[in-house]
Amino acid sequence: MHEHKAPHGPIPRRRDGRVSSLSQRRSIALDAVAKVGAVALFLVRLLGQCIPALVRPQLIIRQIYNAGARSLVIIMLCGLFVGMVLGLQGYQLLQRFGSESALGMAAALGLIKELGPVLTALLFAGRAGTSLCSEIGLMGATDQLAAMEMMAVDPVRHVVAPRFLGGLIAVPLLAAIFSCVGIYGAQLIGVTMMRIQAGTFWSQMQSAVGLRDVNEGLIKSVVFGAACSLLAVYEGFHAEPTAEGVGLATTRTVVTSAVLVLLLDYMLTAAFL
Amino acid sequence: MIDDDIVVEVRGVHYAIGTHAIFKGLNMRVRRGAITAVMGPSGTGKTTLLRLIMGQSVAQRGHVTVFGKEVAGLERRELYKLRQRVGLLFQNGALLTDLSVFENVAFPLREHTDLPEPVLRELVLMKLQTVGLRGAAELMPAELSGGMARRVALARAIVMDPEMLIYDEPFVGLDPISKGVIVRLIQSLNRLLGTTSIVVSHDVREISAIADDSYLLAEGKVMAEGSPAELCKEQTESVRQFMSGTPDGPVPFHYPAPDYFEQLLARPDA
């Protein structure tokens, strides 16, 4: 398809031929607003097709497998290392105040509320988001989406909605697994290496982590899952039908997803405080 | 064949992409039960015409009517209903790469009908038998040659027994055997089932052998129309050039360019 062109014509230039910085900024801002609008309209169309897509649950299950189950190894591996790093850093920091017994609580809260959802979403965007985007983009480039349209099958219902729903369901599950493996990693360092008492480690965690914290992590991961999946399917569906176009769309998916996840994380954290 | 029964009517269609005008007042009619050939040099908008008929693009001016309905005014649901009555064979087949040959052909049936699995299986196998690929039912699209993919796509296009079939360049890149098979299939589907067919092609010899009506497009309009025999007798120089396939004539072979020798001898930095 097309690049996102400025909806307001060419960028005005100064007499010396250079683009005036004010015009350039105005153009970039208007482009960004136009893109947000386009994504929002696509989301409305997509949500309208999500319920009809539920009629064929096997399509959604296949996408949960593609986006979720196939990301398990990378998610668990990263979760383990992040948990172990948290264990080491947290132990060193807490030791300064003589409160290393609080390591379990600190690691669990950090993982459940923050690192689990955010890192899972970033990994998901890199592993599954790129795959979603390029798959849909290539389907467009090889006329498969047009063929569906011609067979009176809405590609948004048959191709896009199952992938979006698959990502939406997979990310919270992956985030929960990430946090669990991360806590196990922190426990490996804290209890096995640093000799914190296992009872203290777990009981501190149990008393400090409440349902509210789990809910916060859950809501964040659902929102991030929706954002990453939406961007991936949007970029794939609107990719220019060439090799270069699909490549650019895939790059945009990762970059925009990463920025959006961190922005949303800040907004949600502020809202939950 | 009822002459008055018009399935597709294109009246005074103007269509441009950006500043480039594709059609400048195009008129044509497709009769029910006839094979209509749409010919013309590359870039004359033959595929664009199909997109207008299928409602994928909308003309800036003029009317495109299919089965008596103005395509441009249809809502998505009505457009989909109309498309269920039409089968379209894409130039490259456009098979769904994650589905087997069998599932590709079964796709429209699974989406639009609630047929029991045994009936669906029989129907799919019958259509695959028609195109000679029943034995390839379990293969994936990546394992097919270009000609086989086109034949699978044809089986998929006819699986819903459409009233009209549209073929976009069905002979491009096919070996003589596959070409002959496709020609015979188009003809037999038309004669046995009474399916209206529109064949977009520039393979003059193949299409002339089976078409009832033909239109020759050039410069955004219909340059000539009539039966293939009438077109062959046409005295207009540009029609004769296209029908006989000669490079010299009113339709230039070369894209507009500066003088050949001047360009070859010119220094790039001059």
Side-chain angles (χ1 to χ4, degrees), chain A residues 62-142:
Chain A
R62 195 203 283 183
Q63 293 311 322
I64 296 174
Y65 172 75
N66 279 341
R70 286 187 168 174
S71 307
L72 261 182
V73 175
I74 187 174
I75 290 288
M76 289 172 77
L77 208 61
C78 292
L80 185 69
F81 286 126
V82 168
M84 286 164 76
V85 169
L86 262 183
L88 284 173
Q89 296 277 21
Y91 182 81
Q92 243 197 351
L93 184 74
L94 292 168
Q95 202 183 26
R96 290 185 200 171
F97 310 104
S99 48
E100 56 269 31
S101 55
L103 180 65
M105 175 190 75
L109 283 177
L111 280 162
I112 292 170
K113 290 171 68 159
E114 207 55 53
L115 291 170
V118 171
L119 290 178
T120 303
L122 294 178
L123 289 168
F124 177 85
R127 217 299 286 157
T130 49
S131 144
L132 286 180
C133 173
S134 54
E135 192 186 2
I136 298 176
L138 274 174
M139 287 178 85
T142 52

Side-chain angles (χ1 to χ4, degrees), chain A residues 12-264:
Chain A
R13 285 168 190 274
R14 297 196 312 204
R15 278 192 181 172
D16 57 8
R18 284 190 294 159
V19 176
S20 76
S21 61
L22 188 66
S23 310
Q24 206 171 16
R25 268 181 249 157
R26 179 173 159 265
S27 158
I28 291 168
L30 284 172
D31 267 359
V33 172
K35 171 117 185 225
V36 170
V39 175
L41 286 175
F42 184 72
L43 177 64
V44 172
R45 187 179 167 194
L46 176 59
L47 291 177
Q49 293 301 324
C50 277
I51 292 169
L54 291 173
V55 175
R56 296 200 190 285
Q58 71 275 16
L59 289 178
I60 299 168
I61 291 167
R62 195 203 283 183
Q63 293 311 322
I64 296 174
Y65 172 75
N66 279 341
R70 286 187 168 174
S71 307
L72 261 182
V73 175
I74 187 174
I75 290 288
M76 289 172 77
L77 208 61
C78 292
L80 185 69
F81 286 126
V82 168
M84 286 164 76
V85 169
L86 262 183
L88 284 173
Q89 296 277 21
Y91 182 81
Q92 243 197 351
L93 184 74
L94 292 168
Q95 202 183 26
R96 290 185 200 171
F97 310 104
S99 48
E100 56 269 31
S101 55
L103 180 65
M105 175 190 75
L109 283 177
L111 280 162
I112 292 170
K113 290 171 68 159
E114 207 55 53
L115 291 170
V118 171
L119 290 178
T120 303
L122 294 178
L123 289 168
F124 177 85
R127 217 299 286 157
T130 49
S131 144
L132 286 180
C133 173
S134 54
E135 192 186 2
I136 298 176
L138 274 174
M139 287 178 85
T142 52
D143 279 339
Q144 293 182 52
L145 299 179
M148 278 187 197
E149 278 271 2
M150 291 306 115
M151 288 186 279
V153 176
D154 190 347
V156 173
R157 175 171 63 80
H158 193 85
V159 175
V160 178
R163 282 165 176 76
F164 172 73
L165 289 171
L168 186 68
I169 296 167
V171 172
L173 296 173
L174 290 172
I177 294 168
F178 185 100
S179 298
C180 290
V181 177
I183 290 169
Y184 176 72
Q187 186 267 161
L188 269 185
I189 297 295
V191 176
T192 317
M193 256 177 74
M194 303 301 179
R195 303 288 174 203
I196 298 174
Q197 277 200 339
T200 318
F201 183 90
W202 293 112
S203 62
Q204 285 262 7
M205 191 189 301
Q206 199 179 6
S207 59
V209 179
L211 192 63
R212 195 174 181 275
D213 304 311
V214 178
N215 280 343
E216 185 178 333
L218 183 69
I219 291 169
K220 277 185 176 179
S221 59
V222 170
V223 173
F224 298 162
C228 290
S229 307
L230 173 66
L231 283 174
V233 295
Y234 172 84
E235 291 291 357
F237 197 73
H238 294 89
E240 199 178 330
T242 59
E244 193 193 4
V246 175
L248 282 173
T250 311
T251 310
R252 274 201 303 272
T253 300
V254 182
V255 175
T256 325
S257 295
V259 174
L260 188 65
V261 162
L262 295 172
L263 175 73
L264 286 171

Side-chain angles (χ1 to χ4, degrees), chain A residues 56 144 149 151-152 158, chain B residues 80 83 96-97 110-112:
Chain A
R56 296 200 190 285
Q144 293 182 52
E149 278 271 2
M151 288 186 279
H158 193 85
Chain B
Y80 276 8
R83 284 177 183 168
L96 306 178
T97 44
R110 291 201 195 283
E111 287 296 320
H112 299 303

Side-chain angles (χ1 to χ4, degrees), chain B residues 155-229:
Chain B
R156 185 179 66 181
I158 60 174
V159 78
M160 294 282 286
D161 292 329
E163 292 169 54
M164 177 164 72
L165 269 166
I166 299 180
Y167 306 84
D168 188 7
E169 302 282 9
F171 312 116
V172 169
L174 292 185
D175 61 76
I177 302 172
S178 306
K179 222 180 241 188
V181 169
I182 298 278
V183 168
R184 274 198 300 279
L185 274 171
I186 296 174
Q187 200 169 23
S188 58
L189 285 168
N190 175 259
R191 302 286 179 255
L192 298 175
L193 305 174
T195 316
T196 307
S197 306
I198 301 176
V199 188
V200 163
S201 175
H202 38 223
D203 289 78
V204 176
R205 209 174 53 170
E206 278 78 16
I207 196 63
S208 298
I210 55 168
D212 299 305
D213 303 323
S214 39
Y215 288 89
L216 185 57
L217 305 186
E219 292 163 9
K221 288 182 179 174
V222 173
M223 194 201 292
E225 62 179 281
S227 69

Side-chain angles (χ1 to χ4, degrees), chain B residues 69-110:
Chain B
K69 287 181 181 169
E70 177 86 31
V71 178
L74 294 179
E75 286 182 9
R76 184 180 287 266
R77 189 174 291 182
E78 289 172 314
L79 191 62
Y80 276 8
K81 266 188 192 166
L82 185 130
R83 284 177 183 168
Q84 284 186 41
R85 300 167 69 185
V86 183
L88 174 65
L89 179 70
F90 274 82
Q91 198 171 334
N92 58 2
L95 296 178
L96 306 178
T97 44
D98 57 339
L99 299 180
S100 67
V101 165
F102 182 93
E103 285 303 324
N104 258 289
V105 180
F107 184 78
L109 292 173
R110 291 201 195 283

